[in-house]
Every structure is written in C-alpha cells, then in structure tokens.
Amino acid sequence: MSDEIKYGEKAILEAELEPWPNPYPDRDYLIEITFPEFTCLCPRSGYPDFATIRLSYIPDQKIVELRSLKLWLNKFRNRYISHEAATNEIFDALWEKLEPRYLKVEGDFHPRGNVHTVITVEKHKE
C-alpha cells in the first residue's frame, strides 16, 4: 500500500474555517448545526473520544461555510485534547471568525468508563 496522502486527508490538513456573507444581516435567525461524528484523542490514555458537537448561532455579518466547518472539525481526530479544551477551542475559533450575535457550542462526549461529559460554552455579543 502506498504511503501517499489521500485527497481527503489532504483536504483535512489544509482546512480553514471559511466565513461567508450573511444573506440576511438585518434579521436575527438561529442556525443550528450538528456534527455527530467528532473524534479526538484522550491526552492521558491516547484512547479515542467520540462526541456530538452541536453549534447554535445567530449570525451578524458572516456565516460559516459548512464544508469548511466539516473539514476543520475533522482536524481534531488525531489530536490529544481534553473534552473541555476541544469544546472551548471550537467556540473560540467560531467566535473569532464569525463575530456572531450569539454562539453556543456543546460537546456531548460519549460515555467512557461510565462517565458521560457534556461541555457547553455560550456567549452573546455585547
């Protein structure tokens, strides 16, 4: 088998969040996005962690392009990162890129060792 990098892996490695113009900046409306196949690695054990990431936001001038979001979230799959750090990093990146009126990011991590963790970060524009 070839050691050549696959086109999907290349797309994930190069992924950046891509903001698009909001088609209705004069109106408040809620965008909800669910990413049910999020993965990262436990920084202590190296075991995979699986989660559903839920995003809810009221855009201002920008919205996120969905393909760029999907590829960017897949960049976490080989990273050693805690549930708390992953959720907060996702929040920070979206808040910075989109400058929304409101943003909520929820990381709902699958139980492991009989422990179920849900991390929620939320903020309104001041």
Side-chain angles (χ1 to χ4, degrees):
M1 183 160 195
S2 170
D3 287 338
E4 180 180 321
I5 189 168
K6 309 292 186 234
Y7 71 90
E9 294 169 318
K10 185 174 189 274
I12 291 167
L13 284 172
E14 296 172 354
E16 297 292 332
L17 289 173
E18 185 180 339
W20 279 14
N22 179 359
Y24 292 96
D26 57 327
R27 169 184 306 164
D28 280 353
Y29 63 98
L30 184 65
I31 298 172
E32 296 178 313
I33 301 167
T34 301
F35 191 80
E37 297 179 343
F38 180 85
T39 60
C40 59
L41 299 171
C42 174
R44 183 174 180 145
S45 68
Y47 291 140
D49 284 322
F50 302 92
T52 296
I53 302 295
R54 293 181 192 89
L55 312 173
S56 301
Y57 72 102
I58 298 172
D60 193 358
Q61 299 301 308
K62 297 175 253 183
I63 59 173
V64 68
E65 194 278 323
L66 294 178
R67 182 175 184 272
S68 77
L69 175 64
K70 172 187 75 172
L71 293 172
W72 182 80
L73 285 171
N74 272 302
K75 289 176 102 167
F76 285 83
R77 71 184 180 174
N78 293 324
R79 287 186 54 199
Y80 298 98
I81 188 168
S82 70
H83 302 167
E84 297 81 1
T87 306
N88 276 281
E89 187 174 316
I90 293 164
F91 178 91
D92 288 345
L94 289 167
W95 186 263
E96 181 182 320
K97 283 279 186 185
L98 302 180
E99 301 173 333
R101 295 177 188 155
Y102 166 78
L103 174 62
K104 178 179 175 181
V105 175
E106 180 181 274
D108 185 347
F109 287 81
H110 297 214
R112 188 154 53 86
N114 203 29
V115 177
H116 177 212
T117 308
V118 179
I119 310 298
T120 304
V121 185
E122 184 173 20
K123 184 176 179 180
H124 288 270
K125 193 178 214 178
E126 297 175 9

